[in-house]
Amino acid sequence: MQLSAAIYAIPLTAGISLVYCASRFEMPNKIVRSAVIMFAKTIAALAALYLLLLYLSR
Amino acid sequence: MRDPRVRLRNPVTAALLALAIPGAGHWYQGRRFKATIYSVCILTIFVWGMILGGGQPVYSQLIYRSDGPAPTAQLQASAPRMKFSFGYVAQVLVGAPAWPALVQEMRIRNQEARIDWIDEPIESDFQGVLSQSHGVQETQIISGTIELIPANERGSKVATGTLHAVFTDGSKQDLTLGGDVQLGRPVFGSPRRELRCRVRGQDAEGHDVSFDLEGTVQRRFIDWFEAPRDTLELDRLNGALSQSYDIGSVFTWIAGLLNLLAIWDAAEGPAYGYGDEEELPDDEDSAD
């Protein structure tokens, strides 16, 4: 159950990244590239936090 | 500074369109790629939140029962006491999909609910309890279907009809409805409308007895969708949907807040520039 709730973060992060980067730039290529980078960084940060919490709760 | 290559047409009109429907302002400006991103992403997050929250995360007011004899806010005839829901500040930014909440709020404010009045026949499924009125107090959980007909064609305090009851042990009995009826407010943020009335049936020994019936019937979609609700309904939602309801609420907030970025973009253009500025050596970090 916990895992399924955490899975929601992936498409949500993708949507937020796209909208945020669309509001920063005008060029489609730049929007998509920035969104992919932002998505990757955010997911990496969330994964690190998840692993840290997992380790602390052992 | 606004990039001259970004064509904003009339920024105020574009901002208002973006406030009404995510992406509409950009479509009006001819910025179709961004319009598609905004509408697809924001509306998907909003609809996803609505689905997770059982279609009920959006509401503008929380209803509290005023002092009086009514046992619940639904069965309170006088104007209810309402308190603004702060989550709606974010939800309303998503535009038209959240506007029905304001209409429903007005309907409740302008409505003098006649909770002791049935104005049209009701056919619905029923969930509730049956209590014996005389002798030893005995309560049984029942479900089934109900047909409720006002005693007068133009509406009445008295209803007749039948409850096709199914008891928890699987046994069935048709109970005759009769007497005064109490119905929950027509407009209320719950798909279930409270119903209280008397029914006649037979006890285990076959004697005719009267019962008090308390339960709920279906409320029409247009009468509950995004309507103000009470804490009892929120408790029911949290009980039925658990964390999904909270996650769904947060999704609808996020969708509204994301549309704020779209509105700003429609009015002022992109925050960092056109996007090709990185080609200049000193501006390489501006993308982050």
Side-chain angles (χ1 to χ4, degrees):
Chain A
M1 194 63 194
Q2 289 298 315
L3 183 64
S4 67
I7 288 292
Y8 293 156
I10 295 171
L12 181 64
T13 305
I16 292 172
S17 301
L18 268 171
V19 171
Y20 178 80
C21 292
S23 74
R24 307 292 102 177
F25 305 107
E26 194 67 21
M27 285 176 64
N29 286 346
K30 179 69 178 174
I31 290 169
V32 173
R33 219 169 341 117
S34 305
V36 168
I37 293 167
M38 181 179 169
F39 173 77
K41 285 180 177 174
T42 309
I43 290 296
L46 288 175
L49 188 64
Y50 186 84
L51 290 174
L52 177 69
L53 291 173
L54 200 65
Y55 173 74
L56 292 174
S57 62
R58 280 198 316 167
Chain B
M1 193 173 71
R2 187 181 297 169
D3 191 301
R5 289 172 291 178
V6 180
R7 185 166 165 264
L8 298 180
R9 289 185 70 177
N10 185 332
V12 176
T13 305
L16 289 175
L17 283 170
L19 179 61
I21 302 168
H26 292 77
W27 198 268
Y28 159 76
Q29 291 170 325
R31 300 156 80 189
R32 303 284 162 87
F33 180 74
K34 296 179 83 165
T36 306
I37 287 180
Y38 287 135
S39 58
V40 169
C41 291
I42 292 170
L43 291 176
T44 300
I45 292 171
F46 183 83
V47 171
W48 190 13
M50 289 291 278
I51 292 169
L52 283 174
Q56 293 188 266
V58 179
Y59 58 97
S60 62
Q61 301 279 342
L62 195 58
I63 292 179
Y64 292 91
R65 189 177 65 85
S66 305
D67 293 335
T72 64
Q74 268 205 59
L75 289 171
Q76 182 183 313
S78 58
R81 197 160 50 90
M82 298 206 275
K83 201 172 163 187
F84 185 68
S85 163
F86 289 105
Y88 191 66
V89 174
Q91 290 165 338
V92 75
L93 291 171
V94 89
W99 290 349
L102 297 173
V103 177
Q104 300 289 42
E105 181 187 333
M106 276 192 285
R107 288 180 74 196
I108 285 190
R109 285 192 191 282
N110 298 330
Q111 184 187 59
E112 185 82 16
R114 293 195 65 175
I115 59 151
D116 57 353
W117 190 263
I118 174 169
D119 53 8
E120 59 184 12
I122 291 174
E123 277 189 49
S124 166
D125 65 299
F126 178 86
Q127 295 160 10
V129 293
L130 202 60
S131 311
Q132 201 160 354
S133 331
H134 304 293
V136 181
Q137 185 69 24
E138 192 180 321
T139 302
Q140 290 173 287
I141 298 171
I142 55 165
S143 57
T145 56
I146 193 167
E147 294 145 19
L148 206 59
I149 301 155
N152 186 320
E153 276 183 6
R154 284 172 292 179
S156 173
K157 291 173 73 167
V158 181
T160 58
T162 309
L163 170 66
H164 306 286
V166 180
F167 295 85
T168 47
D169 61 3
S171 61
K172 295 177 182 176
Q173 189 180 157
D174 285 350
L175 302 164
T176 307
L177 296 152
D180 293 351
V181 65
Q182 276 197 314
L183 268 173
R185 301 180 70 85
V187 180
F188 196 85
S190 169
R192 305 297 301 179
R193 190 176 183 186
E194 285 185 36
L195 168 69
R196 291 170 188 228
C197 66
R198 299 290 294 276
V199 294
R200 289 190 304 277
Q202 291 183 328
D203 63 10
E205 284 102 41
H207 301 125
D208 286 345
V209 285
S210 286
F211 298 96
D212 287 325
L213 185 69
E214 286 185 24
T216 60
V217 293
Q218 277 183 349
R219 180 179 270 110
R220 289 188 305 171
F221 177 78
I222 57 162
D223 289 335
W224 66 258
F225 183 66
E226 296 190 5
R229 74 284 314 266
D230 62 356
T231 50
L232 285 177
E233 180 61 14
L234 291 183
D235 289 346
R236 188 194 68 78
L237 283 166
N238 279 303
L241 302 172
S242 187
Q243 60 178 357
S244 288
Y245 182 73
D246 296 324
I247 294 171
S249 298
V250 171
F251 274 34
T252 57
W253 302 342
I254 290 172
L257 294 173
L258 286 177
N259 200 36
L260 193 58
L261 296 176
I263 295 165
W264 193 268
D265 185 26
E268 287 291 326
Y272 290 167
Y274 199 77
D276 51 3
E277 291 83 354
E278 62 181 352
E279 290 166 12
L280 300 172
D282 292 336
D283 284 352
E284 275 191 355
D285 291 335
S286 66
D288 296 322

